[in-house]
Each structure stands twice: as C-alpha cells, then as structure tokens.
Amino acid sequence: MFSTVLVANRGEIAVRVIRTLRELGIRSVAVFSDADADARHVREADTAVRIGPAAAAESYLSVERLLDAARRTGAEAVHPGYGFLAENAAFAAACAQAGLAFIGPPASAISLMGDKIRAKETVKAAGVPVVPGSSGSGLSDAELVAAAEAIGMPVLLKPSAGGGGKGMRLVREAGLLGEEIAAARREARSSFGDDTLLVERWVDRPRHIEIQVLADAHGNVVHLGERECSLQRRHQKVIEEAPSVLLTPELRASMGAAAVEAARSCGYVGAGTVEFIVPGGDPSSYYFMEMNTRLQVEHPVTELITGLDLVEQQLRVAAGERLGFGQSEVRLTGHAIEARVCAEDPARGFLPSGGTVLALSEPDGGAVRTDSGLVAGVDTGSTYDPMLSKVIAYGPDRAAALRVLRGALADTVILGVQTNAGFLRRLLAHPDVVSGDLDTGLVERDLASLLPDSVPPEVYAAAALLDVPRPAPSRNPAGGSGDPGWVDPFGAADGWRLGGTPAWTVRHFRLPGQEPVQVRTRPLGAETELTVSDAAGANPAPAASEARGPGQSPGAPALGRIVSRTRSHLTIELDGVTHRFAHAASPEGVWLGRDADSWHVQRHDPVIAALTGAGHAGADTLAAPMPGTVTVVKVAVGDKVVAGQSLLVVEAMKMEHVISAPHSGTVTELDVSPGTTVAMDQVLAVVTPDEDEKEEEGA
C-alpha cells in the first residue's frame, strides 16, 4: 500500500478521499488554488501545496503543477477525485511516466470511454445495446444537423468528452439546431477543452439507471448493483438512490452483466460506472449511454448498501491487489438516498450563487452521512462547480430512508450562500418521488409545485425582530449610564417615548429581485406588535397566517413576541404559531434559515433608492442574474435589436446564461466586454425601446 497520496481535486470529494486515507494510515497531500487557500480540504490534509491562481486552467487543470506538487511532497500515487482531470487520459499517462500510480483506470480505457462515439461502438461490438444516434467523430455543424434530421426530432446533443450534463441540449425543433449546437460547443469547450458533439435519439420519459463496477488488474470484474439517478434538472442529477425500485432481480442481473461486459471491452481497472437509459414503459429495453471512468458523485449510496469503502477499493486495486470478493459475495442491504446541496437559487431559475458561509450546521452520524467541503467563514465563490455538499440517508427500506433524508435536510443550515436545500426537501416529498414513479423529466414538469409561492411574511417579521434591541430590565437602573444594563432612552430604536404608548418603528426590507416590504413594530410589554405591508404602507397584510386568536378579526395585525434569541437562533411566536430561525448577519442584511430554506433579507431605503436608481433595475436595464464572467457579447452601442434577441452570455460555475433583449429597441448602454467579471444584479446593458414601442406600451 502507498505511504503518501496526492489528491488532485478540491471541495467535498477531496475531503472524502482524505478521510479514507487517514483511516488507512496514508499521508494525504492536498493541492489548492488561491481561491481555496483556506478551504476545508486544505485544513484536513496532512500537507498542502499551492498550485496556482483561481483560474482552473492555471491550477487544478495544470498537469505540470500537479506533478510538481507530487514530486515535492514525495507522493507515490495520485487520486484524481471526479471532475477536473479525473477522466483525462493525458494526465493518467503523465502520472505513469512520472513514476506515480494513477488511482483510476489505464489511460487507454479513459481515452476510449471518454470519447462517447468510440465508446458506443466498442460496447456495441461487445453485445451491449446502445442508444440510436450519429456515427463517426468530428462531425461538422451541418453533419450534426443532417444526423438529427435523419434520427427525427426531438434529439439530444451531447459533448463527446466529459459528462455531468454539461453541454447537453435537448432540441425539439429543427429550426433551433444551429443555435443549440453553437451553445453546446461553447460549453463543452469551456468545460472539457473539446467541443466535439454527437447527437442521439431522445427517449421520452426515460429513467436513468447506472451500474457500479469494480475491476482489478488481474481480470476480475464485478458489479455492485445499480443506482437510480432519474431525478435530474437540466440533465444534472439532484437526487440518487440505491437500489432502484424499477429493477427486478432478473433485470438487475441482466444490466449488471452488460455493465461488466462494457468494462471488460475497454480493459477497465478500478471503480467505474456504466450508465443506461431505460424507457419507463419497458425497462427490459435498456440502452448504454456512457461509462464514467472515475468515482461518481453518488458513490456513497452504493457504499451504504454494500458496506464497502469504494475509495479504499480504488487504493487497493491501484496498489496491485486482487479484489477480495467475487460477484456471488456482493450483498445489497437496505436503502440509501443522496441529495446534492448546491450553491444555486431556486427562486431565480436555479442560477448559481456564491458568498461567504456565515453560519454552518450539517447533520452527520447515525443514519445520516454528510460529505461536505464547507467550513464557516469560507467564500464559496463562483469559479468552480456549484455543488457544496451531499447529504446521504440510510434506512432498512426506501420509505425510512426518505424520511431520514427529509429530516436531515431540514437540519442543514448554510447561511450566507443561497442553496437548493429547501427545493430538495420539497422534491423528496413529491407524491411521485414517494411512490417511486420517476423519470428524468419529473422535476421540469412539476417545477412550479417544488418552489415556494412567495416569501412567508414571518421571514420579514423575523428580520424586523432581529433589528429590535433586547429589552432591558429597567430603562434607568440605579447605576445610571455606567451600569451594563442601562439603556439610553433616546438611542434605542425600540419605539419608546416619554409618557405615552410606544410609537411604531418602521423598517423596510427586501429580498434580491423583489419589491421592498414595510414592517412596522411596536413593543407591548413582553410582546411585539407588528404588521407587514408593501413599501408605501398600503395593503397591510398580517405577518402570519389568516388564522387569528380569540377575539381577533381576520384583518387584525399579527401579535408576535420573541420567545428566545441567541447569537445564532431566533424563536418567535406569531398568532400562536412558533417559528425557529437560524440567523447570521452580513454587510447587506440578515440571513434567515428554516426547514432547509434560507433567505437573504436586505435593509432597503426607498428614498435613497429613488434618488440613486438603486434597488431595482428598470424594464430597459439588463442586469447580471448571477455572479460570473461575461463570455460572449453579440451587440454594440447603437445596435437595433428585437425582443428576445440574444445579446450577451454570462457564465458561472460552468453554466451559461443567455441575456436577451426585453423588447425591441436600441442598445444605448453596454458596460461589459468578454472577460468582464460581474456581480449579481450588476447592470450589463440598457435597451431603450423605439418610439412606436413606447406608444404601444402607453396604449
């Protein structure tokens, strides 16, 4: 076994690999870019080496710098994790040439299976069924269009290199093929350095089933059962589980045997995954999609039902050991489900988010496992992949595992960064998910039901109550101003006034992208009376549900009180309903979290906003929907544009977002160019409508 292993990755996967290295008594070496100098994987490794600036091309994707770090630290082997260079044949070959063991398959297997076109041809020759699609590599745009038309719409465009759903485009109309091919090539080139595409027939309402395989260098290959990965958004997995409710023992054995043949066909060694697309109405008609020649994000669910540590198995195989068991000895026990917690905002179309982790609480232990790369105080940024952590639950059956995972997500607190945790919890409660009636389009079809209709009024009430000073036992204790409990009656913003009922204190709050909300508070003894309305004070709405206490009319203001308040938690009661929030302050406002949902509530002064134009962009203004980098600018000042025309492309966390014209008109301002780094809501351009457009709007 190795004595020192370099982990050529970052985030939660680096932390995960380091954990097994520590358990085996192997010295771990972490690498980091300038963006990750204080990251968790750097803190937990035995030693760490800086390998360059934040840009991945100059750090995590630099073969030379990674090999130099291995040489300087005396590493004998390199674990690539997943992403970055994990499926890069040149990196695997360079490690071998440098005398380092690559903890993964041979470069030849990576090269073969990394090219989806060659991979399909290879496994097809081995008797594995494949999805109908284009043939040949290096197809031009025109050849891709011709292949798509021959297959018949709809079709799926896929990068030949890479995976993870990046660069994939579902195209239902032939007229959109040109634009979608260009976009897919850009994203593939950005993510994998290779813009080669293929096209495949789209299978409606498919299920995504993958088989975990394990092979040693002595010819032994086994499969470890399947994982159900059908819950996806934009071709990216969000929930994975093992085993699948779809497969019978006979179908499991058949697909497992096909996966083993696929692995044998490319001379595979190590842990890998063979992915299949399965028509929901006919599970026996499964098709090979691709093989991932690395450890998968979702490998923990397989570990929990098999009792195997897959990283340990990778290490043993890379060290030349034989597998310690055969296919007949593989046992699948219980059920495991994993949820991917990502830095993205469901309320804003799942656009990538970023920020500093102000407060963190992650469940771990018992039936819950959290694989995370987070620590409080770290800036997640928008440079790398948006996945922050994985929450995994185990149970004796699927129903138990679902309950445990929903509870674990409710106990997950990540304040300072908008995440999808609340969305995941609602998805796990969806009736079709509970029943196991899944397909890859479920999330997109039912997305509206998985997002909250609006921000609960109690969120604004909680923000206002956090702004209220804690009540003092006396306003004029004997000790006077020198007493620690003394409160200056003219400096405390609590509505107190001499000789009368406390006055209302008015505060304005808003969530990014939403209109300001006015909250009025007034202390009444131990309680606080409050109302929530729009910024102008019109249409006052109770701060809680319409249910009122005895003697209260439906339109009466909600009566609330602070039940308890600590540095990290606030418990309030509104109309007899108790709400517990985790909270943390930021320079722009306060973060509140509850039941896996979180909100960034900002203080907002409508007067200042009106004078400076801040707060909300006008209808003519195009603002950045996420922090990121402008990669494409298609217009210049003075250009005439039409409504819906693509003007700019902003990229963050390997995701592209197209900025389109809100209406026909003229580009009168353009404040960015390709390569410009932008913050969320930063103004990018202004499109002024033509006079006829204005007249039509006025009419």
Side-chain angles (χ1 to χ4, degrees):
M1 184 53 72
F2 313 109
S3 60
T4 301
V5 172
L6 180 141
V7 184
N9 219 292
R10 65 178 297 278
E12 58 87 18
I13 181 54
V15 174
R16 161 71 189 92
V17 173
I18 290 168
R19 183 172 70 238
T20 291
L21 293 175
R22 184 182 301 114
E23 291 172 354
L24 296 176
I26 300 172
R27 177 171 170 259
S28 59
V29 177
V31 293
F32 64 93
S33 71
D34 290 343
D36 283 337
D38 200 32
R40 180 174 170 181
H41 74 279
V42 176
R43 301 182 187 188
E44 296 197 3
D46 294 307
T47 189
V49 180
R50 177 190 178 274
I51 53 171
E58 300 176 64
S59 52
Y60 296 108
L61 291 174
S62 173
V63 173
E64 295 77 12
R65 295 185 183 191
L66 290 167
L67 294 181
D68 179 64
R71 178 187 57 79
R72 289 162 54 191
T73 55
E76 302 155 293
V78 173
H79 195 301
Y82 42 74
F84 293 128
L85 295 174
E87 293 180 285
N88 186 294
F91 181 49
C95 288
Q97 291 169 6
L100 295 165
F102 181 78
I103 302 174
S108 58
I110 296 175
S111 178
L112 176 56
M113 288 297 166
D115 183 333
K116 292 185 176 63
I117 297 168
R118 291 175 58 210
K120 287 177 64 176
E121 294 170 350
T122 300
V123 302
K124 184 178 181 180
V128 179
V130 300
V131 181
S134 60
S135 60
S137 185
L139 298 183
S140 66
D141 289 6
E143 289 171 325
L144 287 169
V145 170
E149 292 174 345
I151 295 169
M153 308 303 287
V155 297
L156 190 64
L157 296 170
K158 298 173 65 175
S160 181
K166 295 178 175 64
M168 290 175 59
R169 292 287 194 280
L170 171 61
V171 189
R172 295 189 178 275
E173 299 178 23
L176 298 176
L177 279 167
E179 182 178 338
E180 293 294 345
I181 288 171
R185 286 200 192 278
R186 276 199 310 272
E187 192 170 347
R189 188 164 51 246
S190 171
S191 299
F192 316 119
D194 183 348
D195 66 358
T196 303
L197 301 179
L198 69 151
V199 60
E200 291 180 343
R201 174 188 297 165
W202 172 252
V203 179
D204 270 323
R205 299 182 77 92
R207 293 180 78 134
H208 185 141
I209 306 292
E210 61 187 30
I211 306 291
Q212 176 72 58
V213 296
L214 196 58
D216 63 25
H218 305 280
N220 302 304
V221 186
V222 300
H223 73 83
L224 305 179
E226 80 282 359
R227 294 187 287 257
E228 172 83 61
C229 304
S230 297
L231 291 175
Q232 302 179 8
R233 187 188 56 75
R234 295 174 183 160
H235 310 297
Q236 296 248 8
K237 304 165 189 172
V238 293
I239 302 286
E240 301 101 345
E241 59 182 299
S244 169
V245 297
L246 181 69
L247 270 59
T248 62
E250 295 76 19
L251 187 53
R252 179 174 297 114
S254 175
M255 292 181 70
V260 167
E261 287 306 311
R264 290 188 187 280
S265 72
C266 66
Y268 201 81
V269 175
T273 303
V274 181
E275 304 199 352
F276 294 92
I277 193 81
V278 182
D282 183 14
S284 62
S285 300
Y286 55 85
Y287 302 108
F288 169 89
M289 286 195 302
E290 63 185 12
M291 183 175 187
N292 289 300
T293 54
R294 53 170 167 80
L295 200 65
Q296 289 280 88
V297 173
E298 57 271 24
H299 76 274
V301 295
T302 297
E303 292 184 323
L304 290 179
I305 67 167
T306 62
L308 295 171
D309 182 326
L310 291 183
V311 174
E312 179 183 348
Q313 294 298 320
Q314 286 185 298
L315 291 163
R316 294 193 180 282
V317 167
E321 295 183 18
R322 292 178 178 271
L323 293 180
F325 53 90
Q327 189 65 60
S328 62
E329 298 169 89
V330 175
R331 296 286 185 271
L332 308 182
T333 305
H335 203 96
I337 310 179
E338 172 183 292
R340 302 187 185 196
V341 179
C342 297
E344 58 188 20
D345 188 351
R348 294 168 67 97
F350 293 91
L351 292 175
S353 63
T356 300
V357 179
L358 302 173
L360 178 67
S361 177
E362 297 176 305
D364 203 3
V368 178
R369 164 178 163 181
T370 297
D371 285 7
S372 172
L374 294 175
V375 288
V378 165
D379 188 346
T380 62
S382 59
T383 304
Y384 308 117
D385 191 272
M387 193 172 71
L388 302 175
S389 64
K390 304 175 304 193
V391 184
I392 312 107
Y394 177 82
D397 53 41
R398 187 171 185 270
L402 277 170
R403 286 194 300 270
V404 171
L405 185 53
R406 287 196 295 265
L409 286 169
D411 290 337
T412 298
V413 176
I414 306 172
L415 298 186
V417 182
Q418 201 69 52
T419 76
N420 64 339
F423 159 79
L424 294 172
R425 191 162 186 255
R426 286 184 286 274
L427 176 58
L428 290 166
H430 188 286
D432 288 347
V433 174
V434 173
S435 69
D437 184 15
L438 314 175
D439 65 79
T440 59
L442 185 151
V443 172
E444 304 297 346
R445 285 196 308 273
D446 291 355
L447 186 57
S449 68
L450 300 173
L451 299 176
D453 293 334
S454 60
V455 180
E458 59 264 22
V459 171
Y460 292 110
L465 291 175
L466 282 172
D467 207 32
V468 174
R470 289 181 177 86
S474 171
R475 301 193 69 83
N476 295 292
S481 61
D483 191 297
W486 188 82
V487 177
D488 178 1
F490 302 103
D494 60 359
W496 179 86
R497 60 186 176 186
L498 184 64
T501 304
W504 288 99
T505 298
V506 180
R507 298 170 177 83
H508 291 91
F509 297 95
R510 63 179 286 265
L511 263 69
Q514 299 196 25
E515 293 297 325
V517 168
Q518 181 186 102
V519 183
R520 302 167 71 238
T521 59
R522 179 170 62 178
L524 293 176
E527 298 180 333
T528 301
E529 188 177 15
L530 50 85
T531 59
V532 178
S533 61
D534 64 21
N539 304 318
S545 67
E546 286 301 309
R548 300 270 83 95
Q552 287 185 292
S553 65
L559 190 65
R561 66 189 183 96
I562 302 174
V563 179
S564 66
R565 177 173 164 186
T566 67
R567 293 185 61 181
S568 60
H569 286 85
L570 170 73
T571 303
I572 63 174
E573 184 180 294
L574 297 172
D575 285 341
V577 179
T578 300
H579 308 271
R580 186 171 187 266
F581 293 91
H583 67 84
S586 72
E588 299 83 18
V590 63
W591 278 87
L592 293 160
R594 188 194 67 197
D595 293 336
D597 275 310
S598 64
W599 302 271
H600 184 199
V601 186
Q602 300 173 334
R603 289 297 298 268
H604 178 83
D605 189 324
V607 176
I608 295 177
L611 293 174
T612 63
H616 293 280
D620 303 342
T621 303
L622 301 177
M626 58 189 179
T629 303
V630 176
T631 56
V632 178
V633 176
K634 301 181 179 181
V635 293
V637 172
D639 285 358
K640 294 283 188 180
V641 297
V642 297
Q645 180 178 335
S646 173
L647 308 183
L648 308 102
V649 176
V650 177
E651 181 183 288
M653 294 180 177
K654 303 179 183 178
M655 172 185 170
E656 280 191 350
H657 187 82
V658 178
I659 309 297
S660 303
H663 44 238
S664 298
T666 303
V667 178
T668 53
E669 287 185 34
L670 184 64
D671 301 328
V672 295
S673 59
T676 300
T677 300
V678 295
M680 186 167 70
D681 292 330
Q682 179 177 330
V683 174
L684 307 177
V686 174
V687 177
T688 301
D690 297 330
E691 288 303 319
D692 54 345
E693 290 280 338
K694 291 181 180 178
E695 291 174 4
E696 186 174 330
E697 289 177 5

